Amino acid sequence: MKIIRLNEVNSTHTYLKEYIQTNGYVEPLCIVTDYQTNGIGSRGNSWTGKKGNLFFSFVISIYELPEDLPLQTISIYVSYILKSILKNLASNVWIKWPNDFYINNKKIGGTITNMSKNLVYCGIGLNLLEVEEDFGKLDIKVDVDNLLQNYFLELEKKISWKQIFSDFKIEFQLSKKFQTTIDNQKVSLEQAILNEDGSIQVNNKKVFSLR
């Protein structure tokens, strides 16, 4: 994975897309910064944090992902791999369905994914510092360079979706205490059922990750 580090950028996600449009896709590429001024969050919201937090976006071909991975659930897959690395470093982070990073009951980050032709764009934001009262921060100190290196090494292994899902479905029980947004409405996950393709069944409706 080629990594380009920027001191400041409006959005790693936007920068990455524009870079690929201009230069084309040659190899997996990551843009990383500790300060973005106009980050993109879920459902079009902004995700702009204080300087010193972690923001990175990367692009890979669908052919560099495991064959059994449902493309609609890439967000869960890439989020859970990062969560597992952090867990191995003694963090208590967990993933709230479908792709939000939580410590206890506070969100500390999240993932967005988009597809264009055969390319997958993934953007991840993670609070390493305090931001505001409603949000939390990572509960361990990390070396960002080592973290990213280990993360992309794990991605290269093409760990099967079956293996990731077997762990995620256990952790999904934590999500049931919370809500998610479906069709711009807050919906409780208490009675939600997790399907093997990463979607959930809630209120007689099948819902995939919308971001």
Side-chain angles (χ1 to χ4, degrees):
M1 177 77 67
K2 179 180 178 181
I3 297 177
I4 297 176
R5 180 178 290 278
L6 303 174
N7 290 328
E8 178 183 323
V9 67
N10 60 345
S11 160
T12 58
H13 214 60
T14 301
Y15 184 99
L16 178 60
K17 286 187 172 182
E18 292 174 351
Y19 185 98
I20 296 299
Q21 287 174 358
T22 301
N23 300 284
Y25 179 80
V26 178
E27 60 184 335
L29 174 65
C30 171
I31 307 297
V32 61
T33 188
D34 67 353
Y35 184 53
Q36 60 179 13
T37 57
N38 191 28
I40 301 172
S42 60
R43 298 179 300 279
N45 296 325
S46 64
W47 181 265
T48 305
K50 291 182 179 179
K51 185 173 180 61
N53 289 316
L54 174 60
F55 309 95
F56 68 99
S57 296
F58 62 94
V59 57
I60 55 176
S61 163
I62 60 172
Y63 305 111
E64 290 156 329
L65 294 167
E67 292 183 358
D68 71 335
L69 176 62
L71 293 180
Q72 308 96 318
T73 197
I74 288 174
S75 286
I76 296 175
Y77 183 82
V78 298
S79 300
Y80 202 84
I81 288 178
L82 181 57
K83 172 258 170 182
S84 297
I85 292 173
L86 293 170
K87 198 82 172 176
N88 287 338
L89 295 173
S91 172
N92 291 310
V93 64
W94 61 280
I95 301 295
K96 173 183 167 290
W97 188 91
N99 45 23
D100 289 330
F101 296 89
Y102 268 66
I103 295 287
N104 297 322
N105 63 348
K106 283 194 173 183
K107 181 176 177 179
I108 68 163
T111 302
I112 59 170
T113 55
N114 311 108
M115 287 190 61
S116 178
K117 298 181 180 178
N118 290 326
L119 298 179
V120 179
Y121 294 84
C122 302
I124 297 179
L126 204 62
N127 292 338
L128 307 182
L129 307 172
E130 297 284 357
V131 283
E132 54 185 85
E133 191 175 328
D134 291 340
F135 293 89
K137 67 172 182 175
L138 190 63
D139 55 349
I140 58 172
K141 300 285 187 182
V142 293
D143 181 295
V144 168
D145 291 333
N146 286 341
L147 179 65
L148 291 179
Q149 182 180 25
N150 291 334
Y151 178 63
F152 292 127
L153 284 174
E154 285 298 297
L155 277 182
E156 288 175 9
K157 292 178 182 178
K158 293 186 180 181
I159 301 167
S160 71
W161 167 244
K162 181 179 180 181
Q163 182 177 337
I164 295 289
F165 179 76
S166 67
D167 293 330
F168 180 68
K169 68 180 180 182
I170 298 172
E171 189 168 285
F172 180 72
Q173 298 303 314
L174 297 174
S175 291
K176 292 194 171 190
K177 301 175 184 177
F178 295 84
Q179 296 179 322
T180 193
T181 301
I182 300 174
D183 297 331
N184 295 319
Q185 299 289 326
K186 290 289 186 182
V187 177
S188 170
L189 292 171
E190 185 177 2
Q191 301 299 323
I193 298 171
L194 181 67
N195 300 314
E196 290 189 1
D197 58 7
S199 66
I200 57 171
Q201 207 75 29
V202 60
N203 296 340
N204 297 316
K205 183 176 183 179
K206 186 175 185 178
V207 180
F208 281 95
S209 165
L210 303 178
R211 49 192 189 279

